[in-house]
């Protein structure tokens, strides 16, 4: 600890700084003047044998922190693990050990394995400020990482977190998973694929994320039905008993640096191929997966806009996966529109359960895509011949075995006694003219659903009433917005009024545009 270290009492400041340690000192605190601290300085805090680095904020309001206190954000308080009032030392922080490598990357240099290991280790240990994180994210996007750098980045992200091992449960058998790169609202195939594959007898411990910029993630939707925040030991027990789980991955400490990087990438709208590959594969390998089906949707408003871009990304995924001994099957799918009808946790859970129950109103596109993906996963079974997977998956679904398996998973994880209701307020967005639905803008529709309150309000979102190729009459509803609060409904309705995200045209235009679908794997 520096000679400038000073003793102050810790005060917990109830501010969620999302994956960043922040410290608060009053402007009149003697330490601020004596040590020359300034706002946004990096400081080192030491308390009860624990040391963390934090970004300093200087405040003028004693109601936040007094001149004899050291305020810490919720993130920093959790990392320190001490009680309020505990004495802490504060001093100037030394730069992260990897800062020289970061500067080289900013200058466009290629980084080696040890460089990237150092950067990711410092990120995982919260030694980077959000400004430094942003510099790393932008630098790796500005000059695209080569495939060896992507491999080393993935290895580093795996190394700094926990790694699950399911050999005690399956021996030498495959541990299977399915992942979509995202960007398609309502694409809740995992909640169908997992029970189908588990009913076949394969191990599928699915750890999923919550939504960051989308109207729902798999964890948000599963939470409508069951508890998803499972301690690791309980998750292992559930997988042993049911062959599967559908849990939130945040409690497992898998690839923790990835969660920190995502918190910076999303506001910047940066999703570079290298970062995407490292993010997805590090999480899957850390979760113990040995076999993965990866869905890459392609469409004008998807993350991947062209087939050429999809094939480049596919090759990069395959290169990294092969070096990390992950069996990978990449599927390029139709991402021109949302999958299913519901967009938002309650509505998406409804769609999933309709498919599992064989409801005649179940969305056909969600059912078919889930069966295709489940079939590809079942073909990882060495006893299944190529091409048989789809038929096996369909038989499992139609027999009711997938529904029974889903019910078993829900019971094991803890069934919700009272599922959240659908938003009490609704409004319909009407077609301005006669025509055929030529395009549905995934980004626009997702944003409208989020303004309606999803996923924070589980019952909020959109119910799509028309899909690509459907004929509509002027004044007929295109979709219905659901919200719980009048202000959310107003925001969503106003955005939809400016641009509904639904483009109409003639049947001749649709016939010409629909040929694109023939290029997709599923």
């Amino acid at each position: 600890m520096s000679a400038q270290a000073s003793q102050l009492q810790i005060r917990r400041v109830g501010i969620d700084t999302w994956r960043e340690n922040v410290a608060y000192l009053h402007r009149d605190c003697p330490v601020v003047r004596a040590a020359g601290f300034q706002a946004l300085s990096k400081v080192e805090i030491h308390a009860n044998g624990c040391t963390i680095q934090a970004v300093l904020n200087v405040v003028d309001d004693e109601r936040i922190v007094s001149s004899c206190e050291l305020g810490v954000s919720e993130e920093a308080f959790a990392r320190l693990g001490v009680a309020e009032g505990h004495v802490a030392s504060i001093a100037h922080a030394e730069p992260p050990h990897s800062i020289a490598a970061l500067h080289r990357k900013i200058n466009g240099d290629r980084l080696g394995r040890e460089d990237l290991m150092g950067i990711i280790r410092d990120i995982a240990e919260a030694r980077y400020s959000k400004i430094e994180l942003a510099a790393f994210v932008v630098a790796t996007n500005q000059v695209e990482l080569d495939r060896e750098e992507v491999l080393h980045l993935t290895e580093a992200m795996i190394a700094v977190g926990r790694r699950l091992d399911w050999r005690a449960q399956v021996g030498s058998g495959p541990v299977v998973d399915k992942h979509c790169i995202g960007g398609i609202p309502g694409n809740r195939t995992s909640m169908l694929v997992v029970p189908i594959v588990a009913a076949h007898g394969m191990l599928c411990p699915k750890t999923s994320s919550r939504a960051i910029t989308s109207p729902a993630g798999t964890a948000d939707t599963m939470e409508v039905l069951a508890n998803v925040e499972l301690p690791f030991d309980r998750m292992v027990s559930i997988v042993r008993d049911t062959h599967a789980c559908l849990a939130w991955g945040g409690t497992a400490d898998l690839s923790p640096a990835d969660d920190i990087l995502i918190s910076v990438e999303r506001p910047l709208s940066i999703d570079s191929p290298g970062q995407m590959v490292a993010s997805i594969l590090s999480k899957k390998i850390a979760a113990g997966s040995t076999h993965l089906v990866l869905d890459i949707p392609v469409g004008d408003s998807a993350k991947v806009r062209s087939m050429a871009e999809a094939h480049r990304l596919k090759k990069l995924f395959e290169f990294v996966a092969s070096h990390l001994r992950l069996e990978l099957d990449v599927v390029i799918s139709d991402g021109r529109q949302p999958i299913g009808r519901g967009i938002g946790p309650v509505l998406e859970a409804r769609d999933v359960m309709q498919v599992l129950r064989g409801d005649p109103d179940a969305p056909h596109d969600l059912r078919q895509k889930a069966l295709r993906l489940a079939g590809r996963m079942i073909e990882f079974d060495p006893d299944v011949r190529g091409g048989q997977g789809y038929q096996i998956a369909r038989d499992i679904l139609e027999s009711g075995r997938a529904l029974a398996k889903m019910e078993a998973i829900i019971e094991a994880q803890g069934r919700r006694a009272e599922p959240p209701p659908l938003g009490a307020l609704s409004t319909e967005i009407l077609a301005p003219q006669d025509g055929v639905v030529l395009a549905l803008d995934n980004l626009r529709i997702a944003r409208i659903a989020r303004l309606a309150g999803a996923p924070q309000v589980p019952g909020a979102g959109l119910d799509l009433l028309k899909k690509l190729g459907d004929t509509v009459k002027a004044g007929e509803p295109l979709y219905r917005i659901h919200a719980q609060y009048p202000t959310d409904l107003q925001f969503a309705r106003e955005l939809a009024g400016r641009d509904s995200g639904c483009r109409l045209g003639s049947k001749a235009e649709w016939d010409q545009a629909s040929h694109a679908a023939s290029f997709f794997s599923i």
Side-chain angles (χ1 to χ4, degrees):
M1 189 63 60
S2 162
Q4 292 180 325
S6 300
Q7 303 285 314
L8 295 166
Q9 286 188 323
I10 289 178
R11 179 169 180 175
R12 181 180 183 178
V13 178
I15 297 178
D16 180 1
T17 51
W18 185 243
R19 300 282 182 173
E20 183 176 32
N21 296 329
V22 178
Y24 304 88
L25 289 177
H26 196 279
R27 193 178 301 279
D28 293 334
C29 177
V31 176
V32 173
R33 294 175 180 173
F37 286 132
Q38 295 179 343
L40 299 185
S41 297
K42 291 279 286 295
V43 297
E44 189 169 87
I45 302 170
H46 182 82
N48 198 31
C50 178
T51 300
I52 66 169
Q53 289 193 356
V55 174
L56 178 65
N57 282 200
V58 177
V59 302
D60 295 303
D61 191 339
E62 288 213 352
R63 290 172 297 180
I64 298 173
V65 62
S66 73
S67 59
C68 62
E69 293 176 319
L70 168 61
V72 292
S73 64
E74 292 289 283
E75 180 78 14
F77 186 76
R79 281 182 175 267
L80 285 170
V82 297
E84 272 197 300
H86 196 286
V87 173
S89 304
I90 182 169
H92 287 284
E94 294 295 323
H97 296 301
S98 63
I99 201 71
L102 171 61
H103 289 161
R104 294 200 341 261
K105 193 62 195 174
I106 291 170
N107 291 331
D109 292 352
R110 182 186 180 279
L111 298 184
R113 177 182 275 107
E114 292 306 313
D115 293 325
L116 287 162
M117 184 66 74
I119 289 173
I120 294 303
R121 186 182 299 113
D122 282 338
I123 289 173
E125 293 174 359
R127 295 181 178 275
Y128 273 36
S129 67
K130 285 287 175 70
I131 294 171
E132 290 163 335
L133 287 169
F136 176 69
V137 167
V138 171
T140 54
N141 182 67
Q142 194 74 22
V143 178
E144 192 168 310
L145 297 171
D146 65 31
R147 64 182 194 171
E148 282 78 17
E149 285 181 298
V150 178
L151 172 60
H152 299 330
L153 178 61
T154 310
E155 292 171 328
M157 291 169 74
I158 295 167
V160 300
R162 189 173 193 172
R163 188 164 181 177
L164 309 185
D165 187 346
W166 300 99
R167 281 176 296 185
Q169 282 71 37
V170 296
S172 60
V175 179
V176 299
D177 202 350
K178 167 261 162 192
H179 188 84
C180 176
I181 68 167
I184 308 298
N187 192 21
R188 210 48 59 218
T189 53
S190 291
M191 289 177 64
L192 295 165
V193 168
V194 169
I196 291 171
V197 171
H200 178 66
M202 303 178 81
L203 200 75
C204 189
K206 179 67 175 170
T207 56
S208 302
S209 61
R210 293 189 183 276
I212 298 174
T213 58
S214 66
T218 298
D220 302 302
T221 305
M222 184 64 181
E223 196 169 37
V224 170
L225 307 173
N227 177 32
V228 297
E229 297 192 7
L230 305 174
F232 174 68
D233 290 343
R234 187 176 169 205
M235 185 172 72
V236 170
S237 174
I238 290 168
V239 172
R240 185 172 54 244
D241 293 342
T242 69
H243 278 219
C245 67
L246 282 155
W248 176 53
T251 55
D253 194 31
L254 306 175
S255 189
D258 180 50
D259 294 330
I260 298 171
L261 287 169
I262 285 173
S263 71
V264 174
E265 290 166 356
R266 295 306 189 217
L268 292 173
S269 297
I270 289 177
D271 204 358
S272 66
Q275 290 280 0
M276 182 192 297
V277 170
S279 171
I280 291 171
L281 295 188
S282 67
K283 280 281 176 68
K284 297 304 172 186
I285 293 169
S289 299
T290 62
H291 295 66
L292 174 67
V293 169
L294 182 73
D295 176 20
I296 301 180
V298 179
D300 289 341
S301 57
K303 282 186 179 180
V304 176
R305 306 294 174 91
S306 70
M307 292 300 292
E309 185 183 350
H311 283 291
R312 284 195 300 271
L313 186 60
K314 177 177 182 284
K315 288 180 180 178
L316 182 56
F317 268 111
E318 289 171 341
F319 171 81
V320 175
S322 66
H323 280 73
L324 296 176
R325 299 181 180 179
L326 175 69
E327 187 81 20
L328 181 66
D329 180 12
V330 178
V331 175
I332 297 175
S333 64
D334 186 349
R336 295 175 299 159
Q337 65 177 334
I339 302 296
R341 285 192 296 270
I343 300 170
V346 168
L347 291 163
E348 293 179 30
R350 176 206 64 191
D351 285 358
V352 166
M353 296 310 295
Q354 283 181 337
V355 172
L356 287 170
R357 290 168 180 154
D359 190 318
D361 291 331
H364 180 73
D365 59 345
L366 178 63
R367 180 183 188 274
Q368 286 303 109
K369 184 169 184 179
L371 286 174
R372 296 291 182 190
L373 292 170
R376 301 283 277 260
M377 289 176 70
I378 287 171
E379 288 174 13
F380 285 139
D381 182 344
D383 294 329
V384 174
R385 292 206 309 268
Q388 289 183 326
Y390 175 83
Q391 182 64 51
I392 293 171
R394 189 176 68 181
D395 290 346
I396 291 171
L397 179 64
E398 292 180 351
S399 70
R401 290 165 57 202
L403 175 60
K405 180 60 70 174
M406 183 61 152
E407 294 289 354
I409 294 169
I410 290 171
E411 287 295 335
Q413 291 187 200
R415 186 184 297 273
R416 286 285 295 263
E418 294 185 14
L422 190 60
L425 307 175
S426 66
T427 189
E428 292 181 340
I429 302 303
L430 308 179
Q433 64 192 55
D434 293 353
V436 175
V437 179
L438 298 181
L440 288 167
D441 187 328
N442 290 305
L443 296 172
R444 188 75 174 183
I445 287 171
R447 190 176 173 210
I448 293 167
R450 283 184 64 85
L451 283 182
Q456 287 79 12
V457 179
L462 261 68
D463 217 358
L464 289 173
L465 305 176
K466 298 293 180 182
K467 301 293 285 282
L468 291 182
D470 287 350
T471 301
V472 296
K473 298 290 186 182
E476 195 174 358
L478 300 169
Y479 54 81
R480 186 177 298 113
I481 301 173
H482 292 273
Q484 189 61 39
Y485 304 105
T487 303
D488 289 346
L489 187 66
Q490 179 184 344
F491 286 151
R493 183 168 50 208
E494 287 176 355
L495 183 63
R498 292 194 293 272
D499 179 356
S500 69
C502 181
R503 183 164 65 88
L504 304 179
S506 67
K507 187 177 184 305
E509 288 176 297
W510 167 249
D511 290 341
Q512 183 176 6
S514 61
H515 291 300
S518 62
F519 294 104
F520 298 111
S521 303
I522 61 172

